[in-house]
Amino acid sequence: MANIKELPELQVFKTVLFHCVVIIALPVLSFFTSKIFIFDGLLGLNHVPSNVYSAAVAILVLHVALGSFIYRAYFDDQSKTQTKRD
């Protein structure tokens, strides 16, 4: 009976861990990617405007990642994890 209870807890842990990694890694990656390839490389902006625009992109990506976590937490279907009790 312990395995039935641990399975949903493991799934919740995996989901939260995935979203934590996404919330930490995606804004950092999007900052440097947009700075190097888009704002410095493609558009040829100076150092300070490039950093400001890259930070804005990172903030936007962070909000999307947080929103997806909140959406998943709020609208997660609990009927899949419930077990039948006799």
Side-chain angles (χ1 to χ4, degrees), residues 4-78:
I4 294 172
K5 185 178 179 185
E6 290 175 7
L7 185 64
E9 291 175 358
L10 180 63
Q11 185 64 31
V12 169
F13 176 75
K14 286 180 182 179
T15 302
V16 170
L17 182 65
F18 171 75
H19 282 286
C20 286
V21 169
V22 166
I23 287 168
I24 292 170
L26 275 184
V28 173
L29 290 174
S30 67
F31 176 84
F32 288 110
T33 303
S34 65
K35 177 176 174 34
I36 293 169
F37 294 114
I38 297 173
F39 299 118
D40 285 346
L42 187 63
L43 298 176
L45 294 176
N46 291 333
H47 185 66
V48 174
S50 174
N51 285 341
V52 170
Y53 293 139
S54 298
V57 168
I59 290 169
L60 181 68
V61 169
L62 174 65
H63 281 85
V64 169
L66 285 171
S68 69
F69 174 70
I70 291 170
Y71 179 83
R72 174 94 186 239
Y74 188 73
F75 291 110
D76 191 24
D77 188 15
Q78 294 296 326

